[in-house]
Structures are given as C-alpha cells and as structure tokens.
Amino acid sequence: MIPNIIAPTPGYTPGLGRLVCMLTHVRHTLLSAVGGLSPAEFDHLHDPESNSIGALLAHAAAVEHWFQILTFEGYEPSDDDIADRLPALDLGERGRREIRGRELLFYLDELSRTRQTTLASLAKQDDQWLESKLAAKPDWNAHWAWFHVIEDEIGHCAQIRWLRARLPQNPGASAS
C-alpha cells in the first residue's frame, strides 16, 4: 500500500522527490483500475467514438514518452521521433484500429519501461531544473510539464474506471 503522504523520495532533490511521489501514486491508481481485464475487455469500444481501455493505457505511456523528450532532451518531439507511439498519443480512429489484441502484461511492460526512464532521468536533475523554463516551450517550466503528465493520467484513469464499469458481460461478443 502506498502511504497517503506527499513527501520527498530518497534519491531525488526535495521538489523532484515530491513529484516522484505523486507520479508513483497516480500510476498505482491507474494500474489498480485495470487489474484482471482480458484482451477483449482492453479492446472493447463503448461506442464508435470512444477509446478502448487498452488505448488509454498506451496513451499514458506515449504522453510520458513525449514529455521525456520535451523536458530531458530539450526539444518538442516530431512525429518521426514518436512514430511508433502516434496511434496511442493521438488516440481516435487510428488508435481504435491499431491498439488491439494485447494482454495486460504488454501494457504493464510499456508503462514500466517508460516510467523507469522517467525516474532515472529525474534522478539526474535538481529542483532548479524542475523550475526552469523549457527551451522548446518557454512559457512552460519542467514542473508544469510533469504536472501535466500527472493530470493527463488522472483524467484517463477516470475514463478507464467509467469504461470498466460499463463493460458488457461478454466483451468478445460486442461491436468492438
């Protein structure tokens, strides 16, 4: 169980440690929302315009990767930089078509690999970096960028919970 305390995390400067604490809590919440789902449930579309639970999980990893490039590498990623993640980043029709047939382990591995990169990169930074403006987006600082990653994941976790509560009893027989 993760304690309900936002506090510095060992191995990080105080501000970054609090950010890591929040990233950890949000990810724990996201993962607890999807435990035990089948590939058919990950693929289920509530309606023709909705995103699947699997696409929303892939989106969380893609957003985090996009912000890694923006904040750690110092430039706004082009479509070429993130070509393999575009269906998940953009969601919509392409995501509905291409993000299908995956087991929970696939999503867990992708989320874990992405988060490990984030945590290793954050450990190399300090609180001054966290408050610094981004070269590619001078009206943003790194703190806001990572807050947005958290905000995005929280929002999609709520969508996932909503979708999960509305899964049909036999999602393989649905119109997904």
Side-chain angles (χ1 to χ4, degrees):
M1 172 130 177
I2 295 179
N4 293 323
I5 297 171
I6 295 174
T9 304
Y12 301 90
T13 58
L16 283 168
R18 284 184 204 75
L19 178 69
V20 167
C21 184
M22 289 184 272
L23 285 163
T24 301
H25 177 76
V26 169
R27 181 56 51 85
H28 175 77
T29 302
L30 178 70
L31 296 180
S32 54
V34 298
L37 293 176
S38 70
E41 291 168 321
F42 283 121
D43 291 349
H44 176 72
L45 295 173
H46 181 71
D47 60 56
E49 298 299 313
S50 68
N51 292 299
S52 68
I53 291 172
L56 293 169
L57 288 175
H59 178 76
V63 165
E64 187 164 341
H65 179 71
W66 192 94
F67 277 90
Q68 288 169 350
I69 295 169
L70 180 70
T71 60
F72 303 133
E73 297 181 33
Y75 67 94
E76 190 168 348
S78 69
D79 286 355
D80 289 339
D81 293 323
I82 54 171
D84 60 328
R85 296 183 187 239
L86 276 175
L89 192 62
D90 295 339
L91 293 172
E93 180 56 38
R94 187 171 172 198
R96 284 189 283 280
R97 188 176 61 250
E98 294 181 26
I99 303 171
R100 305 188 61 72
R102 299 172 180 165
E103 301 278 341
L104 176 59
L105 189 55
F106 172 86
Y107 298 109
L108 295 179
D109 286 347
E110 188 168 350
L111 287 162
S112 177
R113 278 193 314 276
T114 304
R115 182 53 51 88
Q116 288 171 7
T117 298
T118 296
L119 296 177
S121 298
L122 287 172
K124 297 174 187 174
Q125 307 301 332
D126 60 22
D127 288 350
Q128 184 176 352
W129 171 86
L130 185 61
E131 302 310 324
S132 65
K133 292 185 177 185
L134 301 178
K137 292 200 172 279
D139 55 333
W140 295 11
N141 66 5
H143 205 158
W144 189 91
W146 286 98
F147 162 77
H148 181 68
V149 171
I150 292 169
E151 174 186 47
D152 191 71
E153 195 161 313
I154 289 169
H156 292 307
C157 183
Q159 284 181 291
I160 288 169
R161 287 177 172 159
W162 188 93
L163 290 167
R164 184 176 184 149
R166 288 154 181 82
L167 285 171
Q169 293 300 322
N170 183 3
S174 71
S176 68

